Amino acid sequence: MKYLIILAIFLVFSSQVYAKERLPSNCAHLSEVSKASFVLFNKKEFMQLGECLAIAALKNQKKLDLVRSCNEVDEDRRNFLGILSLSKLESILLGQCMGTINYIYEHYNKERVSNYRYRSSNRIVYRCNKGVKAVDILRNIKTEEIGREDIRELLCDEVYY
Amino acid sequence: MVRDYDSQPSFAYEKQETPESRTDKNEAKPSENQNEQPLKSLDVSDLESKFILKARKKIRLFDPEGIYQFKGSAIPYYQSFMHLISLLLSLYLITCYFALIVFSELEHLDGVGNTSDLTMIDKLFMITLAVLTVLKLKKLISVKVTHYDVRYKLALAANGFNCIVINLVKFSIYFLALALFLIGLDHPNETILGAFERLGNGVIADFLVFSSWIVTSLIFVKAFKRFGKE
């Protein structure tokens, strides 16, 4: 009987991470988190991991599937079962969407536009969206995977100050 | 209390039956005379006693309730053999079913590796079902019920697990039909594949998963109802 219980618990919990992969170097401090399996206690850490992964991907000019990630944010907001119906994968994706939006905001907001078309005038800056509005913009894009420049074009407007 | 039920059913008034007693059939329910009913209070016609004898010999594969009701009669060895085979088969199918749930939820994520999409609800229900199964099996093994204990327990276990398999199959067909119907109402132009994708994600999907877990546990509880009962 003992062995049966152990086998059952093993089957349920052994499913978390099989192929171990290297985290991006600036997320190395989160490698313990990536092994954890309880969303109930680790939601915040999983989201941090997601943010870190998103930022690393953006810095390395990798493309992200933001439609899926940001749909998770929306789902999390509307779900009445709350954290009980949140999986590890979903919380990491959630973090990815938030991380992307925050990265773009901090990187480009109020920065001068460095485009050859506007070289004559340096009075043009980016004004970026944040929060719910940004999530909704990213949810409604048509392409599956998207890189940093495209995200900036979607999230940020160029305005005179 | 252990009684020997294996002899021919002997009903006290079987010979002196009157036509009046034959008419009220609803008094003589075939299963009731197996348990606590005193024998002399029951009038059973020939046809009814034949019916009972036939019911005793019937092979049961998906009917734990029937096994429990006819627990007194010996189960033939060829039936026990079929019970054993079907028990192994359904245990295999149930294990596959849960393994499929666990492994199909794995998805690859850059930098992290395969990550599980199982939610807290999934895990809680799986653990509950595993513990329930183990506890019920323990009870079934430890409580002695009849003379033919091993065969009876084997039959009950086989019927219970077969019942789970057949009910899960039935339920998944109904569930898929209902879920696809709901999705079809919301998105009339969706393809079948797209609908299946929607089933995996979203608020409605989470609710459907939750309700399907509740039904699954009800199926388990129903199948294990007679385990360990005297």
Side-chain angles (χ1 to χ4, degrees):
Chain A
M1 281 305 130
K2 259 187 274 170
Y3 299 113
L4 265 178
I5 296 179
I6 292 169
L7 182 72
I9 292 174
F10 175 77
L11 270 181
V12 172
F13 286 104
S14 64
S15 57
Q16 301 307 322
V17 176
Y18 287 99
K20 218 179 137 198
E21 272 189 37
R22 277 168 66 97
L23 288 173
S25 58
N26 42 359
C27 302
H29 62 286
L30 291 170
S31 64
E32 281 301 309
V33 177
S34 69
K35 287 178 204 145
S37 58
F38 267 114
V39 183
L40 210 53
F41 310 129
N42 295 319
K43 183 186 174 188
K44 204 174 139 197
E45 283 82 356
F46 286 148
M47 282 177 66
Q48 280 172 355
L49 177 66
E51 285 178 22
C52 192
L53 287 173
I55 291 169
L58 290 175
K59 277 183 181 165
N60 295 326
Q61 305 289 341
K62 274 189 196 162
K63 295 195 168 182
L64 288 169
D65 185 0
L66 284 176
V67 181
R68 190 175 169 213
S69 302
C70 292
N71 272 331
E72 292 299 341
V73 178
D74 183 61
E75 193 186 314
D76 189 50
R77 206 165 45 207
R78 291 191 292 138
N79 207 331
F80 62 93
L81 289 168
I83 198 168
L84 283 180
S85 65
L86 191 74
S87 67
K88 182 182 172 183
L89 181 74
E90 284 178 338
S91 45
I92 293 176
L93 288 178
L94 222 139
Q96 271 190 355
C97 181
M98 308 298 260
T100 307
I101 292 169
N102 289 340
Y103 177 78
I104 295 287
Y105 186 82
E106 275 166 27
H107 209 256
Y108 291 108
N109 198 38
K110 292 186 183 168
E111 291 295 321
R112 219 179 302 140
V113 177
S114 58
N115 195 325
Y116 65 92
R117 278 185 288 156
Y118 307 122
R119 197 163 286 163
S120 54
S121 153
N122 56 6
R123 286 163 57 86
I124 300 174
V125 293
Y126 289 115
R127 193 179 59 197
C128 297
N129 287 305
K130 227 184 148 182
V132 183
K133 203 178 167 194
V135 172
D136 284 338
I137 292 173
L138 290 179
R139 278 177 62 211
N140 291 322
I141 50 180
K142 294 282 180 284
T143 44
E144 287 267 298
E145 300 211 311
I146 186 167
R148 183 163 110 188
E149 305 301 315
D150 301 324
I151 301 171
R152 189 202 63 210
E153 266 177 33
L154 282 166
L155 290 183
C156 301
D157 306 320
E158 294 165 5
V159 291
Y160 283 100
Y161 67 93
Chain B
M1 189 169 63
V2 176
R3 271 190 275 162
D4 184 14
Y5 300 87
D6 200 28
S7 53
Q8 284 280 317
S10 62
F11 305 112
Y13 292 119
E14 209 176 355
K15 298 293 174 215
Q16 306 101 306
E17 235 171 10
T18 55
E20 290 93 290
S21 71
R22 281 171 186 254
T23 52
D24 52 1
K25 296 246 174 175
N26 51 353
E27 242 185 58
K29 282 182 186 153
S31 60
E32 273 177 14
N33 65 338
Q34 293 290 322
N35 293 335
E36 266 68 59
Q37 285 277 333
L39 291 178
K40 65 182 169 60
S41 71
L42 204 61
D43 297 327
V44 179
S45 68
D46 285 350
L47 276 175
E48 282 164 338
S49 73
K50 266 182 202 160
F51 175 73
I52 294 169
L53 279 176
K54 209 174 155 192
R56 275 188 182 179
K57 284 174 191 152
K58 209 173 103 183
I59 179 161
R60 292 185 173 75
L61 286 176
F62 302 102
D63 185 15
E65 195 68 22
I67 292 283
Y68 176 73
Q69 278 170 347
F70 288 90
K71 63 185 169 182
S73 45
I75 295 162
Y77 282 109
Y78 78 93
Q79 288 194 8
S80 288
F81 178 69
M82 289 181 76
H83 285 151
L84 182 66
I85 300 284
S86 64
L87 174 65
L88 292 178
L89 190 70
S90 2
L91 281 179
Y92 174 72
L93 286 177
I94 291 172
T95 318
C96 283
Y97 176 72
F98 282 99
L100 193 73
I101 290 180
V102 170
F103 289 109
S104 68
E105 298 284 356
L106 283 179
E107 279 184 54
H108 186 265
L109 208 63
D110 275 347
V112 187
N114 282 349
T115 311
S116 166
D117 200 10
L118 286 177
T119 65
M120 211 55 221
I121 288 178
D122 296 337
K123 286 180 191 171
L124 282 179
F125 272 102
M126 277 189 192
I127 293 169
T128 315
L129 290 183
V131 170
L132 178 79
T133 310
V134 169
L135 289 182
K136 283 289 183 180
L137 276 179
K138 203 175 167 187
K139 206 176 164 196
L140 176 74
I141 289 169
S142 61
V143 178
K144 183 173 166 57
V145 182
T146 67
H147 285 307
Y148 320 100
D149 217 34
V150 178
R151 277 182 274 165
Y152 168 72
K153 283 171 182 174
L154 178 65
L156 199 55
N159 276 270
F161 283 106
N162 292 347
C163 196
I164 289 175
V165 169
I166 206 90
N167 280 336
L168 279 181
V169 169
K170 272 189 210 164
F171 169 64
S172 20
I173 292 170
Y174 292 144
F175 177 78
L176 274 184
L178 182 72
L180 291 181
F181 177 70
L182 285 181
I183 289 173
L185 281 186
D186 269 358
H187 311 273
N189 297 324
E190 189 66 275
T191 59
I192 297 280
L193 277 180
F196 271 108
E197 232 158 63
R198 273 180 200 281
L199 260 184
N201 216 340
V203 178
I204 299 175
D206 280 345
F207 174 70
L208 285 178
V209 166
F210 180 63
S211 45
S212 78
W213 274 120
I214 288 179
V215 177
T216 308
S217 11
L218 287 181
I219 288 173
F220 270 71
V221 168
K222 188 182 167 236
F224 292 149
K225 199 176 148 198
R226 294 299 183 186
F227 277 36
K229 285 255 176 69
E230 291 205 16

